[in-house]
Structures are given as structure tokens and as C-alpha cells.
Amino acid sequence: VVLDVNGLVLAQVLQKLGAGRTKAGEAVNYSVGAELLVSLGQRVQKDQINLLQKALTVGKDKREAGDGDTLVAEVLLPH
């Protein structure tokens, strides 16, 4: 079960792929982006977790996350 998403780790991965700058004037690769194909509370198989697994907190049950432990402040769904 996906318990949390670590946005900082996700941002670091995207930055290393060229989506952001570390210094003023550096080029930005506008073709780099990410789409999370999982949601909080969603059950996932171990083989579905890839190199971005550090960005997810995965456990056996939603209750493992505890109250208020999530880093997700709001979920924005596409229209």
C-alpha cells in the first residue's frame, strides 16, 4: 500500500534529469517530467516499484502511516 510520497526525492530525480537548474543561467530540459501512476492508499505489487521507489513509502496497510505523518498536504487531480 502506498503510504506517502517523498516530493523532495522526486524533485531531486527530476532535477538530475534536467528539469531544473542548480545555477542561474543553466538550461532547462522542458521535456522532462513525471506522472505518478499510483495514489495514496493504492495497493502495489513489489515488481511494480522501480528506481523511484525511494520517493514512495510503501507498507502493508494504510494504518501503518499513522495520523499526520504524511508529507502530502493536498492531492490535486486532473480535470
Side-chain angles (χ1 to χ4, degrees):
V1 175
V2 177
L3 302 176
D4 203 3
V5 177
N6 188 328
L8 178 59
V9 173
L10 183 58
Q12 289 170 336
V13 169
L14 294 172
Q15 190 275 327
K16 288 182 181 187
L17 292 172
R21 300 179 176 106
T22 56
K23 298 176 187 162
E26 287 183 338
V28 174
N29 183 345
Y30 294 100
S31 67
V32 174
E35 180 179 0
L36 290 180
L37 300 176
V38 296
S39 300
L40 296 179
Q42 180 178 336
R43 294 196 177 280
V44 292
Q45 301 297 320
K46 285 183 182 180
D47 61 346
Q48 292 175 313
I49 304 299
N50 60 21
L51 293 175
L52 294 176
Q53 72 184 31
K54 289 182 182 177
L56 303 175
T57 303
V58 178
K60 293 181 182 180
D61 192 300
K62 279 192 216 181
R63 293 169 290 189
E64 287 182 41
D67 293 327
D69 291 343
T70 183
L71 297 174
V72 177
E74 182 179 4
V75 176
L76 302 175
L77 300 174
H79 298 305

